[in-house]
Amino acid sequence: MRLFHAQFQGRTVKGSTWRALLAGACLVGQVSCAHVGGADALSGEKERAAVEAVYFNGTIHTMDAARPVVEAVSVGSGRIIETGSSRELLARLHPGTRTIDLGGRAVIPGLTDAHAHFLGFAKLANRLDLVGTASLEEILEKVSAKIPSLGKGDWILGRGWDQNDWREARYPDRSALDGIAPDNPVYLVRVCGHAAYVNSAALRLAGISRRTPDPAGGKILKDARGEPTGILLDNAVELVSKCIPPLPRDEKKRLMVAAARKCLAAGLVGVHEMGIAAEDVSVYEELSAAGELPFRITGYLSSDDTMIAPFLEAGPRAGRGGVLFRIVGAKFYADGSLGARSAALIDDYADDPGNRGILMQSPDSLYRMILPWREKGFQIAVHAIGDDAVREVLDVYGRLAAERPAPGPKPRVEHAQVVAAEDIARFAKLGVIPSMQFIHCTSDMSWVEDRLGVGRVAGAYAWRSLIAAGNRIPGGSDFPVESINPFLGIHAAVTRQDLAGRPAGGWRGEQRLTLEEAVGAFTLDAAYAAHVEDEAGSLTPGKFADFIVLSDDIFSMNPAEIPLIRVLATVLGGEVVYRSDAF
Ligand SMILES: [Zn+2]
């Protein structure tokens, strides 16, 4: 875990430094634009004065086709001022300019996770980590171990189990939890976030009994006698989760700062935060404004939060609370997940005849839910995993474009895991962004053919087909569903293999991405998906000075070894915000 022992340089975490940086960032926009338009527009003297630091002696992959590899970059007021050879840039030093030797290392733009749950990840530090547990017994042991430290009635929270990893591969029963935790409510979320395993104490608190009907868009699984089994699907999860006492604000902030350190150490400079609750907006804003969160968070509000109305009314908040935190969009759900067989499919699940998953609302009600957000200028992002849900969302986007044409941000489909062949071309045609998580493919590939059947699997994780149809795919991980490590996503994208290199040639290897496309997905395409392609995504003069120094050159190594890459340093807005011992 040494990777995660981020060391902030004292000066970079101080509020005053970040406030200065933020204040400067607005000014630089103008300077840089002039620079991009033509360096001649600025006098050489002025240009040099703006340079605060020069990073030199690197193999810097800029992701800018105009100048793909350079040795050095100069930075000032949070932006790239110039790129070029070490000799060129060092020749223009003036007193006070810092120089940082990259030691010949490879550098790429800082990575952005285009679909993540950052606060959810932050809160995990307080929860049992059940990712990778191989049996129900292992989960019960972890719950047991927690009990002695708790008072009667305290909640036990956990996340990450996956019954597909167990020998019997079937849902557990609440009785197993009741045996070890009769007095403490237990709430354990499945790895996908769309199912929960709870005990009788939690069901009692939520008022769930044999007489409780399934909520709309959800299922309370019941046994042969009609009693709840302790497994809740999709909207039924909320019946219990809303009974969990909220974290105090200060605790939330502390966990978020710690989570940002982990992300920076993993090579991420920001995330598209999918689903921000009304009560949390001010938490992000306060942290960001105080300079305590050196991390770019592009926020999508939880449209289904009952307290969200004032935020809908207020419209997007570009830059409020500092440029690091923005609210650009709103998040909706069309269906569940393939793992829990609640993703909505056009035809039955191949391994569960009669089940086509759960479409959370009709096309008409989805249209009516989205409309007011779109009219306010929010970017729309709808979770859709099954081919029926993807089709519904495309239909709704098509209807919006036809009935309410408005020049707004391009809408997104989050996940788009299974797309019917006839719908692939509709994304580009409608200007809809397929926001995908490459690592889901390699996580799911061992069982997804069972769910979908041989014919339908052709449209699963169909990256190459989507790109061939004219789309750009922003890369995400959906963490904490998956690891925060973006190199695992890049590896999955270029190999479609697990970490052991299986299967040979990759699972449906014809859908693999090139390395340029995979790195591009987490840089250029992530910026494109958030409509900041003029500001981020490549090391181009005028854009944010966000980049990472790598242990190995990702562009000249065996793809199988990409997961072993370590991030030696992370630079955000020109400042080193993470530095490993090896740099
Ligand atoms: Zn998600």
Side-chain angles (χ1 to χ4, degrees):
M1 294 307 282
R2 205 168 116 232
L3 183 68
F4 286 155
H5 287 180
Q7 286 289 320
F8 282 80
Q9 292 187 324
R11 52 190 231 82
T12 57
V13 288
K14 278 186 198 138
S16 54
T17 308
W18 277 96
R19 269 192 295 277
L21 197 62
L22 298 182
C26 307
L27 287 175
V28 184
Q30 301 155 13
V31 172
S32 329
C33 286
H35 185 90
V36 173
D40 302 342
L42 285 173
S43 77
E45 200 50 47
K46 246 185 184 168
E47 189 179 323
R48 278 195 291 280
V51 175
E52 291 162 11
V54 174
Y55 292 81
F56 69 99
N57 187 27
T59 303
I60 304 174
H61 301 278
T62 63
M63 298 302 285
D64 179 345
R67 230 175 168 180
V69 183
V70 296
E71 291 173 346
V73 297
S74 61
V75 304
S77 300
R79 309 262 173 166
I80 302 284
I81 305 279
E82 200 179 0
T83 62
S85 71
S86 299
R87 207 153 57 97
E88 273 175 289
L89 269 57
L90 289 175
R92 300 186 200 164
L93 290 182
H94 66 84
T97 304
R98 287 175 292 134
T99 56
I100 297 99
D101 187 349
L102 294 165
R105 301 286 193 179
V107 171
I108 60 174
L111 303 174
T112 294
D113 192 312
H115 180 120
H117 304 276
F118 173 72
L119 178 55
F121 169 67
K123 286 181 183 170
L124 272 193
N126 268 6
R127 296 187 173 201
L128 292 176
D129 179 6
L130 306 177
V131 173
T133 42
S135 65
L136 174 60
E137 289 66 39
E138 203 179 329
I139 288 175
L140 298 177
E141 268 167 39
K142 291 197 176 208
V143 171
S144 281
K146 187 92 183 168
I147 299 219
S149 65
L150 300 175
K152 194 173 168 179
D154 285 351
W155 283 77
I156 299 170
L157 308 175
R159 176 165 186 150
W161 59 273
D162 182 351
Q163 82 281 9
N164 292 313
D165 292 343
W166 306 347
R167 210 172 338 104
E168 300 201 353
R170 79 163 99 104
Y171 284 133
D173 188 88
R174 71 189 149 90
S175 57
L177 286 174
D178 291 347
I180 51 169
D183 303 318
N184 297 88
V186 182
Y187 171 78
L188 309 175
V189 180
R190 193 179 180 278
V191 67
C192 64
H194 290 270
Y197 174 34
V198 303
N199 66 349
S200 297
L203 289 172
R204 267 197 306 276
L205 282 170
I208 298 174
S209 70
R210 57 182 297 133
R211 287 180 302 279
T212 311
D214 289 338
K219 253 185 198 155
I220 301 166
L221 294 195
K222 292 180 178 157
D223 62 20
R225 293 168 300 133
E227 296 291 340
T229 65
I231 295 293
L232 308 170
L233 302 181
D234 290 291
N235 285 351
V237 171
E238 208 178 290
L239 300 175
V240 168
S241 67
K242 70 181 182 202
C243 303
I244 300 167
L247 272 183
R249 286 173 74 82
D250 282 352
E251 175 68 355
K252 225 176 246 176
K253 287 184 179 175
R254 190 187 66 75
L255 292 172
M256 285 166 78
V257 170
R261 283 194 198 122
K262 291 179 188 171
C263 289
L264 292 167
L268 294 173
V269 292
V271 292
H272 296 180
E273 177 75 324
M274 284 295 156
I276 296 180
E279 63 167 12
D280 291 327
V281 171
S282 59
V283 177
Y284 292 86
E285 284 187 342
E286 284 166 23
L287 270 177
S288 194
E292 290 167 23
L293 202 64
F295 195 54
R296 298 191 195 279
I297 297 182
T298 303
Y300 294 75
L301 296 169
S302 297
S303 64
D304 55 357
D305 184 333
T306 52
M307 308 300 282
I308 210 75
F311 296 94
L312 161 59
E313 202 42 50
R317 301 182 184 203
R320 188 163 156 189
V323 290
L324 294 177
F325 175 66
R326 307 179 305 136
I327 293 175
V328 302
K331 169 87 184 293
F332 300 78
Y333 284 89
D335 68 347
S337 77
L338 278 178
R341 292 194 190 83
S342 57
L345 298 178
I346 294 168
D347 293 310
D348 294 3
Y349 277 84
D351 59 356
D352 191 8
N355 179 18
R356 292 184 179 182
I358 300 174
L359 206 52
M360 289 194 169
Q361 57 270 312
S362 69
D364 196 55
S365 79
L366 183 61
Y367 174 89
R368 279 182 284 110
M369 285 162 66
I370 289 174
L371 189 57
W373 292 90
R374 187 164 175 275
E375 308 260 280
K376 277 283 183 186
F378 285 95
Q379 186 179 24
I380 306 303
V382 185
H383 164 120
I385 287 184
D387 52 7
D388 197 29
V390 170
R391 178 168 293 175
E392 177 187 49
V393 176
L394 290 172
D395 287 348
V396 167
Y397 286 159
R399 186 179 158 196
L400 281 163
E403 295 180 9
R404 304 284 193 137
K410 290 182 206 62
R412 309 170 42 144
V413 174
E414 300 307 312
H415 310 306
Q417 278 177 23
V418 190
V419 183
E422 56 269 47
D423 287 333
I424 286 194
R426 294 177 69 200
F427 278 87
K429 220 156 137 199
L430 289 167
V432 175
I433 298 169
S435 163
M436 302 182 78
Q437 299 73 41
F438 308 118
I439 192 82
H440 282 343
C441 169
T442 50
S443 293
D444 300 354
M445 64 190 177
S446 65
W447 50 261
V448 78
E449 199 157 321
D450 295 343
R451 294 275 193 283
L452 298 176
V454 189
R456 195 164 37 182
V457 87
Y461 317 95
W463 314 321
R464 175 57 55 207
S465 306
L466 281 159
I467 288 176
N471 295 288
R472 296 174 69 168
I473 304 177
S477 70
D478 208 9
F479 76 69
V481 174
E482 304 281 359
S483 160
I484 63 171
N485 183 351
F487 293 98
L488 297 181
I490 292 171
H491 171 259
V494 297
T495 65
R496 289 174 76 105
Q497 290 175 329
D498 64 17
L499 295 177
R502 288 178 302 238
W507 184 78
R508 307 194 65 87
E510 69 279 5
Q511 294 285 348
R512 279 176 306 191
L513 298 191
T514 65
L515 192 56
E516 285 73 14
E517 287 167 339
V519 174
F522 288 88
T523 54
L524 295 165
D525 299 333
Y528 171 78
H531 294 267
V532 289
E533 61 267 38
D534 294 338
E535 296 217 288
S538 64
L539 301 178
T540 301
K543 289 193 181 184
F544 295 143
D546 295 353
F547 49 88
I548 54 180
V549 184
L550 306 180
S551 59
D552 302 274
D553 190 343
I554 189 167
F555 284 103
S556 61
M557 65 192 291
N558 177 355
E561 288 171 2
I562 290 173
L564 302 176
I565 288 178
R566 283 166 300 117
V567 173
L568 303 183
T570 301
V571 176
L572 180 80
E575 299 281 337
V576 177
V577 289
Y578 164 76
R579 181 192 288 273
S580 82
D581 297 342
F583 184 72

